[in-house]
Amino acid sequence: MKIAIPLDENRQDVCIVLARAPYFLFREDGKDTIADNPAAHANSGAGVQAAQFLVDESADVLITVRCGQNAADVLKESGMRIYKSIHKAALDDMIAWEDGKLDELTEFHSGYHGVR
């Protein structure tokens, strides 16, 4: 099981904008890694690009504050489950997910379409 969380610049807190997050935290088999988000500076389509990156990285679960509909469509098509972040610190969300305390994210916004 591979879990992904978008990270702020400090590499510890959950970034509230999935598409423009500077980094992603991945946890797999108890090992944490941080990767640059290749979509962070995209001129357009950052949500779909970030979602495709997560799919390409074989993430099974995404924990995020919010997600655009286009990105959600890509993620869901791959079978990825999306959960609502409830903590500021990414590691706290990881623990909450492992303890079954996070709800699936069911509401998706229409996207910001070029707004940073």
Side-chain angles (χ1 to χ4, degrees):
M1 177 78 49
K2 190 171 189 177
I3 306 165
I5 300 180
L7 293 179
D8 271 339
E9 294 84 10
N10 68 9
R11 296 174 165 231
Q12 296 177 19
D13 294 335
V14 179
C15 185
I16 63 169
V17 182
L18 172 69
R20 302 290 178 181
Y23 309 102
F24 284 101
L25 169 66
F26 293 101
R27 175 173 285 175
E28 186 173 28
D29 298 325
K31 181 181 176 196
D32 293 345
T33 58
I34 295 175
D36 291 335
N37 176 8
H41 301 291
N43 289 328
S44 63
V48 170
Q49 291 177 47
Q52 188 60 53
F53 172 68
L54 296 174
V55 170
D56 292 346
E57 289 293 316
S58 302
D60 301 293
V61 169
L62 169 65
I63 300 170
T64 187
V65 173
R66 60 183 177 220
C67 182
Q69 186 64 57
N70 291 341
D73 290 344
V74 170
L75 299 168
K76 288 181 186 179
E77 180 68 25
S78 77
M80 194 176 308
R81 309 243 348 231
I82 307 168
Y83 290 85
K84 175 78 173 152
S85 169
I86 59 171
H87 296 285
K88 181 178 179 178
L91 292 179
D92 290 342
D93 269 343
M94 286 278 190
I95 292 166
W97 181 82
E98 290 167 351
D99 291 343
K101 295 180 180 176
L102 296 185
D103 293 328
E104 285 201 52
L105 186 62
T106 58
E107 294 182 23
F108 304 99
H109 61 82
S110 62
Y112 296 110
H113 308 288
V115 178
R116 290 187 185 211

